[in-house]
Every structure is written in C-alpha cells, then in structure tokens.
Amino acid sequence: MLGGDYGDFLFLIINECKGEIFTSVTSGFSRAISEVGTVMMVGGNIKGYTRVMTTFIALETSKGNFKDALIIGFILLAISFLINIILHSLKGRESNEYIN
C-alpha cells in the first residue's frame, strides 16, 4: 500500500471510484422504487404493515380505481425526479472539481 494505512487506502479507492459508486446507487434506487412483484412476494400487501407505493398503485389499478393510482403514481414520479435531480447536482459538483 506504499506506506499508507488501511484508512488511506480505503479513502483513495472510494475517491477514485466516485462515478461508479454514484451510478450503482442511482441504479439501485431506480430498481427499488419500481419493484412490484418482489415486494408482493416477499412482504405481501397488508394494509398498514407492508403496503408500499408501487403495490398500492398495482392494487388500485386492478380494482379499477385509476384516480387514486394516478395520484400516487405522480407522487412517486415527483419523489423520483427530486432525488435524481439532487443526485445529479451532486455529481455535477464532483465532476467540475478537476477542471481548475
């Protein structure tokens, strides 16, 4: 490790892999908010205990209650866009630090 301790080595690896870590986190987030089948298989769809937004949308759509499903869908999209905007603004600051 060329004279550095484990903390220095770990900091160097994380610093060099920021872009890849960012891509992994963004990809994982997008997969997590879009999973319906996995949530229903593992956690069920119990009102008040295991119901999440995606299973609520699927349930309301299957019942024919499209108004509530669309409202929750738009809220889920707004949350997703907000988090992606925050993540991309953080990435933008990181990518500009090497220009100077």
Side-chain angles (χ1 to χ4, degrees):
M1 288 193 258
L2 299 175
D5 61 355
Y6 182 75
D8 294 334
F9 180 69
L10 187 62
F11 178 75
L12 179 66
I13 294 294
I14 291 174
N15 195 25
E16 291 295 323
C17 296
K18 281 182 188 175
E20 291 80 7
I21 293 171
F22 175 78
T23 303
S24 299
V25 168
T26 306
S27 176
F29 171 73
S30 65
R31 289 293 307 255
I33 65 168
S34 66
E35 286 296 328
V36 176
T38 305
V39 171
M40 286 184 160
M41 284 189 297
V42 174
N45 195 16
I46 304 167
K47 187 174 184 178
Y49 292 101
T50 61
R51 186 167 296 168
V52 294
M53 293 176 90
T54 52
T55 57
F56 179 82
I57 293 168
L59 178 68
E60 293 301 314
T61 302
S62 68
K63 291 191 316 188
N65 193 0
F66 297 110
K67 180 183 174 190
D68 289 343
L70 280 173
I71 290 170
I72 296 297
F74 284 129
I75 291 171
L76 185 61
L77 276 173
I79 292 169
S80 175
F81 284 140
L82 180 67
I83 290 175
N84 276 313
I85 287 169
I86 291 169
L87 288 174
H88 284 288
S89 69
L90 292 174
K91 184 179 181 185
R93 273 192 243 141
E94 170 198 305
S95 62
N96 289 336
E97 71 186 27
Y98 296 111
I99 292 175
N100 294 333

